Amino acid sequence: MAPTSETLTAERILEATEEVLRRHGPAKATVVDVARALGVSHGSVYRHFRTKAALREAVTKRWLDRTSGELSGIVAADRDPETRLRDWLAALFAAKRRKAGDDPELFATYTVLTDENGTAVGEHIADLTSQLTRIIEAGVATGDFAAIDPEATARAVFQATGRFHDPCYAREWEEPGAESDFRAVVDLLVRGLRP
Amino acid sequence: MAPTSETLTAERILEATEEVLRRHGPAKATVVDVARALGVSHGSVYRHFRTKAALREAVTKRWLDRTSGELSGIVAADRDPETRLRDWLAALFAAKRRKAGDDPELFATYTVLTDENGTAVGEHIADLTSQLTRIIEAGVATGDFAAIDPEATARAVFQATGRFHDPCYAREWEEPGAESDFRAVVDLLVRGLRP
DNA sequence: CGAATGACAGATATTGAAATCTGTCAGCTG
DNA sequence: CAGCTGACAGATTTCAATATCTGTCATTCG
């Protein structure tokens, strides 16, 4: 982490914060650590982020947005709605599971944020639900799905698959039955969506 | 809590422990407290329960079994399977929500136990899933439900409704949308079960 | 003049010593 | 002799003193 002499931007701070979080975990990462990693005083960090919570939230938001981005490709894909729905849910499960495994410390940060009821997590969920809504609307349009209220239905699908994307279940994602449990739930939900 | 002079039984210890847990919460309740409440030495408690964890688990088991008992009546009820399924899920949601509200300290104990992966919670879940399996089997028999593997389907239904009975969501059970979210998920699942 | 600094007050976290608790067991008691 | 006790060792928790951190702001620097 050689302190570059480039101007200090929010982006560079987020980069450094992510690195510090990865190394120290959410409980031990301090703003002073971040400033040290950047070779600046911690006061400078506060010029870009009002509080430590705001910084943590910004890092998490960036991290969550990467997932949303991956998934949005599936929403727009050129396939029948049922396949898109199955792919989307599978991709969400895979992405969360991968993040929990590869970046345990960042994942812990995300979990902390969930508990704190930050807006970033709420927005992420709203974003994902809206992607789901679009897939379901497409299915209603083609006659593949029957849903009176696509948005409520999307929320129901999202909540019903919580076990496979909600951080509070992260421990169980690596257990043997997880994959087949996932298929069973998705099959049931897809059957429920059909006219 | 006047120390009765009756013989010390496992049952009396469980009674006293529940009271101590209710009063102090899982973090502060000690075996010494339980012994004091009973007017005996803590060594006597260890005659009936090998460890503190075993005592905590026994209390939780008793408490969980009360819920299982309430629900088993619905499994045996004289109604069509779909109604039984809906009633059973609604009763499970209501029971958990009530317990979280009325006995927050005991509920916290239950949550701690879930995290510790004690067998009592696993057995409780197995018990509930087997009740669900019986309802689904009944539905398959009458032709109301189509399920190739009733047990796997029961597990799927249980997992898909996790948001409405898993302690990690307890906070959200009192929020305004909870009831309608519940109905949306149950409707979707019931549709998925129909032939 | 805008960006960065570093000293500061109050809040939070760490630390290590003292208190309490868990689990055992030899011996007491009815 | 079955059931209970209380002293004990080691583990855990508490508590208060100390150190560190968060967030602010008057001042410096380029």
Side-chain angles (χ1 to χ4, degrees):
Chain A
M1 287 299 90
T4 345
S5 52
E6 283 172 47
T7 40
L8 188 60
T9 65
E11 184 59 25
R12 282 189 63 221
I13 293 174
L14 290 175
E15 211 89 50
T17 306
E18 201 167 308
E19 183 57 29
V20 168
L21 278 170
R22 236 189 283 272
R23 199 176 299 278
H24 296 82
K28 314 215 66 175
T30 74
V31 176
V32 173
D33 289 331
V34 173
R36 206 180 357 253
L38 288 162
V40 300
S41 85
H42 76 280
S44 303
V45 174
Y46 280 97
R47 172 166 303 279
H48 293 86
F49 297 94
R50 205 149 44 273
T51 64
K52 182 184 185 179
L55 177 56
R56 208 172 29 202
E57 192 152 350
V59 171
T60 306
K61 181 170 166 38
R62 231 171 59 123
W63 189 68
L64 293 174
D65 283 352
R66 270 177 251 156
T67 303
S68 307
E70 285 175 40
L71 294 176
S72 66
I74 296 173
V75 176
D78 186 22
R79 290 165 168 265
D80 64 297
E82 185 179 315
T83 305
R84 269 187 281 167
L85 178 61
R86 286 180 185 275
D87 287 353
W88 191 90
L89 289 170
L92 178 60
F93 184 23
K96 292 285 178 183
R97 187 161 52 172
R98 180 163 38 76
K99 296 222 176 199
D102 293 355
D103 271 350
E105 301 294 15
L106 275 186
F107 196 80
T109 305
Y110 166 36
T111 308
V112 167
L113 212 67
T114 307
D115 292 343
E116 282 174 357
N117 244 315
T119 57
V121 172
E123 280 164 22
H124 181 234
I125 290 171
D127 187 3
L128 293 179
T129 307
S130 109
Q131 292 193 15
L132 256 184
T133 303
R134 265 178 287 154
I135 296 177
I136 289 171
E137 279 169 347
V140 172
T142 60
D144 287 315
F145 296 153
I148 294 148
D149 180 348
E151 195 179 326
T153 307
R155 203 165 50 242
V157 170
F158 189 75
Q159 293 182 352
T161 50
R163 159 172 276 259
F164 309 103
H165 61 248
D166 198 307
C168 74
Y169 290 107
R171 266 183 311 176
E172 294 161 54
W173 293 341
E174 296 306 337
E175 279 180 17
E179 202 63 46
S180 71
D181 283 354
F182 174 72
R183 270 195 305 272
V185 168
V186 171
D187 283 346
L188 195 56
L189 293 173
V190 167
R191 284 178 53 99
L193 283 170
R194 293 207 268 249
Chain B
M1 288 301 91
T4 346
S5 52
E6 284 172 47
T7 39
L8 188 60
T9 64
E11 184 60 24
R12 282 190 61 224
I13 293 173
L14 289 177
E15 212 88 51
T17 306
E18 201 167 307
E19 184 56 28
V20 169
L21 278 171
R22 237 189 282 272
R23 199 175 299 277
H24 295 82
K28 313 214 70 173
T30 73
V31 176
V32 173
D33 288 331
V34 173
R36 205 179 359 251
L38 287 162
V40 300
S41 85
H42 75 281
S44 304
V45 175
Y46 280 97
R47 172 163 304 280
H48 295 268
F49 297 94
R50 205 147 42 275
T51 64
K52 181 185 185 178
L55 176 57
R56 208 172 28 200
E57 191 153 349
V59 172
T60 306
K61 181 171 165 38
R62 231 171 59 124
W63 189 69
L64 293 174
D65 283 351
R66 270 176 249 156
T67 302
S68 307
E70 285 175 39
L71 294 176
S72 66
I74 296 173
V75 176
D78 186 23
R79 288 165 170 264
D80 65 297
E82 186 178 314
T83 305
R84 269 188 281 167
L85 178 61
R86 286 179 185 276
D87 287 353
W88 191 90
L89 289 171
L92 178 59
F93 184 23
K96 293 285 178 182
R97 189 162 51 170
R98 181 163 37 75
K99 296 223 174 196
D102 292 355
D103 271 349
E105 302 292 15
L106 274 187
F107 197 81
T109 305
Y110 165 37
T111 307
V112 167
L113 212 67
T114 307
D115 292 344
E116 281 173 358
N117 244 314
T119 58
V121 172
E123 280 163 22
H124 181 235
I125 290 171
D127 187 2
L128 293 180
T129 308
S130 108
Q131 292 193 16
L132 257 184
T133 304
R134 265 178 287 154
I135 296 178
I136 289 172
E137 279 169 347
V140 172
T142 59
D144 288 314
F145 295 153
I148 294 147
D149 179 348
E151 195 180 326
T153 306
R155 202 164 52 242
V157 170
F158 189 75
Q159 293 182 352
T161 51
R163 159 172 276 258
F164 310 103
H165 61 248
D166 197 307
C168 73
Y169 291 107
R171 266 183 310 174
E172 294 161 55
W173 293 342
E174 298 304 337
E175 281 180 16
E179 202 64 48
S180 71
D181 283 355
F182 174 72
R183 269 196 305 274
V185 169
V186 172
D187 283 346
L188 194 57
L189 293 172
V190 167
R191 284 177 54 98
L193 284 169
R194 293 207 268 249

